[in-house]
Amino acid sequence: MGKDVSEFENSCAKYLNVKHAIGCASGTDALQIAMMALGIGAGDEVITTSFTFVATVETIALIGAKPVYVDVEEDSFNMNVAQIEKAITKKTKAIIPVHLYGQSVDMNPLMEVAKKHNLFVIEDMCQAMGAEYNGKKVGTFGDISCTSFFPSKNLGAFGDAGMMYTNDDQLAEKMRMICNH
């Protein structure tokens, strides 16, 4: 959390054109901290895809929420956005689209569904740092986005590391507080 990390956070925020980038220990921590900052917990449901690294679903379970799965598109292996609306219940609090293989989930219709049902969107961009959707970088559509810098990711570190991104000042403050705790 020193000068080098702060400079890296600022560089990442500038690259994605977002207000805040908050570094943390791992992509797994980034996902968990994002949900904690949004107040997601026991009894809540979070829609995501089963075609993802275990951390996406693991973090939903760790905070006491229930993962609800939608299938993927055959050509991209990304979340099939057309299936989201039928998976929504009164307990649904968020959607976690997972951008895979440098490809973006179809974000415009996903964001329309989220807005219609007043749901949070947490983008898991651990496998798509730098990818774009309609000329806009992934990780800039939802309330929060998360990435991992694990050595096997498209932008890797010499060990484990993660980052959360948001344009919301209050969410950024909450995530920093949770990280520093």
Side-chain angles (χ1 to χ4, degrees), residues 15-26:
Y15 175 72
L16 288 182
N17 194 27
V18 295
K19 288 173 69 174
H20 304 280
I22 300 105
C24 59
S26 66

Side-chain angles (χ1 to χ4, degrees), residues 24-121:
C24 59
S26 66
T28 303
D29 282 354
L31 289 163
Q32 184 172 346
I33 291 165
M35 285 184 272
M36 291 170 70
L38 292 169
I40 298 168
D44 295 334
E45 293 179 355
V46 178
I47 296 172
T48 193
T49 175
S50 60
F51 195 74
T52 183
F53 181 66
V54 68
T56 310
V57 177
E58 171 189 38
T59 54
I60 295 169
L62 282 171
I63 62 165
K66 176 185 172 186
V68 175
Y69 302 108
V70 297
D71 207 349
V72 296
E73 295 178 334
E74 289 181 28
D75 60 340
S76 69
F77 297 102
N78 277 323
M79 177 183 274
N80 186 333
V81 175
Q83 295 183 5
I84 294 173
E85 201 152 20
K86 65 185 171 191
I88 296 171
T89 72
K90 291 179 182 179
K91 294 181 178 183
T92 306
K93 298 294 183 215
I95 304 167
I96 301 180
V98 181
H99 307 288
L100 284 175
Y101 311 125
Q103 302 173 99
S104 174
V105 171
D106 195 5
M107 290 305 292
N108 285 344
L110 185 145
M111 294 305 295
E112 288 173 15
V113 169
K115 184 176 181 179
K116 177 180 174 183
H117 295 278
N118 198 32
L119 301 174
F120 296 115
V121 175

